[in-house]
């Protein structure tokens, strides 16, 4: 039983560190935008199932994108003295990278359950999140590409 307790604690701590790395305030901002979009349609849906699945899908995609950014920025973050979990060594890069894969899969699965348009927007968000941080695009390194990708992320 002790081994199970240790694993559960380790999994919960890893989840907490991934959440912290993905900047909770940014997560809240994206979820509020989604909620405003649902409400601004003019009428609430008869069932909240689809919006809740869509919101969960977006949340997974946002955490994925920001976690990936932490993985790709680790060297710069350490040089700059960042206190984010990957930079300070509390969250191993490999663990965070694996988390991005799981979160992307969860985002697409939840988006698929919410409907074809939701999974399409989720996929677009994930591609833009990758394009912002990762090679070969690395939009964060060019003001023009950065502006395009950040605008696209906000639009999704």
């Amino acid at each position: 039983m002790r081994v199970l307790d240790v694993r559960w604690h380790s999994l919960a701590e890893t989840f907490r560190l991934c959440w912290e790395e993905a900047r909770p305030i940014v997560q809240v901002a994206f979820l509020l935008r989604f909620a405003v979009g649902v409400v601004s349609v003019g009428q609430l849906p008869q069932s909240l199932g689809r919006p809740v699945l869509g919101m969960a899908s977006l949340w997974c995609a946002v955490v994925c994108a920001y976690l990936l950014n932490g993985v790709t920025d680790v060297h710069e973050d350490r040089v700059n003295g960042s206190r984010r979990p990957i930079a300070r060594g509390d969250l191993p890069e490999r663990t965070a990278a694996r988390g991005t894969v799981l979160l992307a899969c969860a985002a697409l699965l939840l988006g698929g359950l919410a409907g074809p348009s939701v999974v399409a927007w989720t996929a677009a968000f994930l591609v833009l999140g990758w394009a912002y941080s990762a090679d070969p695009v690395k939009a964060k390194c060019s003001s023009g590409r950065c502006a395009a990708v950040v605008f696209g992320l906000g639009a999704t």
Side-chain angles (χ1 to χ4, degrees), residues 8-24 27 59 63 67 85 88 90-91:
W8 175 250
H9 172 74
S10 177
L11 182 61
E13 181 64 8
T14 298
F15 179 82
R16 186 191 68 73
L17 290 169
C18 287
W19 176 73
E20 181 184 337
E21 180 72 33
R23 300 178 178 141
Q27 296 172 44
W59 181 76
V63 174
L67 197 54
R88 69 178 187 247
D90 291 344
L91 179 60

Side-chain angles (χ1 to χ4, degrees), residues 27-112:
Q27 296 172 44
V28 170
F30 272 98
L31 294 178
L32 285 174
R33 282 186 206 140
F34 184 91
V36 167
V38 169
V39 171
S40 69
V41 170
Q43 63 183 25
L44 288 177
Q46 290 179 341
S47 166
L48 290 178
R50 187 167 183 240
V52 168
L53 286 169
M55 186 176 269
S57 174
L58 176 65
W59 181 76
C60 288
V62 170
V63 174
C64 175
Y66 276 85
L67 197 54
L68 175 62
N69 181 259
V71 170
T72 62
D73 279 355
V74 69
H75 175 72
E76 294 87 349
D77 285 348
R78 286 183 177 151
V79 168
N80 293 328
S82 172
R83 296 299 306 148
R84 290 170 66 190
I86 295 173
R88 69 178 187 247
D90 291 344
L91 179 60
E93 293 170 63
R94 177 172 277 185
T95 300
R98 287 180 181 148
T100 65
V101 173
L102 291 173
L103 286 160
C105 291
L108 292 170
L109 175 65
L110 291 164

Side-chain angles (χ1 to χ4, degrees), residues 130-131 134-139 145:
W130 165 82
D135 289 327
V137 179
K138 228 175 205 178
R145 287 189 311 242

